[in-house]
Each structure stands twice: as C-alpha cells, then as structure tokens.
C-alpha cells in the first residue's frame, strides 16, 4: 500500500505543468477566410495567414507540454476571443512567460 501511494505521488509530481499535451484546436481555414474577407477577399492574404498559423502551431506543438497551465488557459481565452488563432496564442504565451520571469519590484 505504501508503494502504491509513493508511485501515485511520483506520477503526479512528475506530470508536466500543463495537463493537456497538445494545443487547443482552432479552425484555421475559417479564421483565415474571415481575415481575408475583412480586407477584400484576397487569396494571397488567406494563404499567407494559413502558412503563418501553421508555423505558429508547429512551434506551440513542441513546447506546449512545458508551458504552465495558468498561461495556456489565459492565452487560449485571448486567442479564442478573436476567432482562434495560433499566432496570437504563441505571442501571448511568449509575452506571459517573459513577464512572469521579470516581475518588477515596487519601491516607495
């Protein structure tokens, strides 16, 4: 019994900061179609958007398990609020991670 409790505790402590191992799923084609439509329906803009989203997703996919869940939850809300975009999700995570490691002190 003691071994079982120790094993369970070890698994919980060794788990990554983010319980979900992959980024959320966004409908990139729909998002990029809306982006392109908002500025006249350019196929070039839509294609560039999809390529940028793919690049951001690929970056996130490899680093996602190491990002704290507090950050991924917050940034998912931010990225979802504008239609679900991996580019904004990636930028938000980068900014939140940098901000958490360089918190300024307040002096009177």
């Amino acid at each position: 019994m003691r071994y079982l409790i120790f094993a369970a505790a070890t698994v919980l402590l060794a788990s990554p900061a983010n319980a979900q191992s992959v980024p959320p799923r966004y409908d990139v084609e729909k998002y990029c179609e809306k982006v392109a439509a908002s500025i006249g329906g350019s196929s070039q803009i839509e294609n560039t958007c999809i390529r940028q989203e793919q690049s951001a997703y690929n970056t996130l996919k490899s680093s996602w398990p190491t990002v704290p869940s507090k950050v991924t939850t917050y940034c998912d809300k931010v990225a979802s609020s504008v239609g679900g975009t991996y580019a904004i999700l990636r930028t938000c995570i980068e900014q939140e991670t940098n901000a958490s490691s360089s918190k300024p002190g307040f002096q009177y």
Side-chain angles (χ1 to χ4, degrees):
M1 179 68 161
R2 189 181 314 167
Y3 174 75
L4 182 60
I5 293 171
F6 176 75
T10 302
V11 169
L12 288 174
L13 292 174
S15 296
N18 185 5
Q20 201 160 15
S21 62
V22 294
R25 274 202 113 121
Y26 299 145
D27 188 344
V28 171
E29 284 87 3
K30 182 178 176 182
Y31 171 76
C32 290
E33 186 178 296
K34 285 182 180 181
V35 168
S38 72
I39 52 176
S42 167
S43 294
Q44 181 179 350
I45 296 295
E46 186 174 352
N47 292 346
T48 299
C49 176
I50 291 171
R51 282 192 291 275
Q52 289 175 336
E53 290 296 307
Q54 185 67 63
S55 176
Y57 177 81
N58 292 345
T59 300
L60 287 167
K61 189 175 177 183
S62 63
S63 64
W64 191 262
T66 64
V67 180
S69 62
K70 177 181 176 183
V71 173
T72 60
T73 299
Y74 168 73
C75 290
D76 179 36
K77 288 179 185 177
V78 170
S80 295
S81 72
V82 293
T85 163
Y86 294 109
I88 289 179
L89 180 63
R90 179 184 61 192
T91 300
C92 179
I93 288 172
E94 289 170 355
Q95 291 174 347
E96 285 297 309
T97 301
N98 290 338
S100 68
S101 66
S102 62
K103 188 175 182 179
F106 184 83
Q107 297 178 4
Y108 291 95

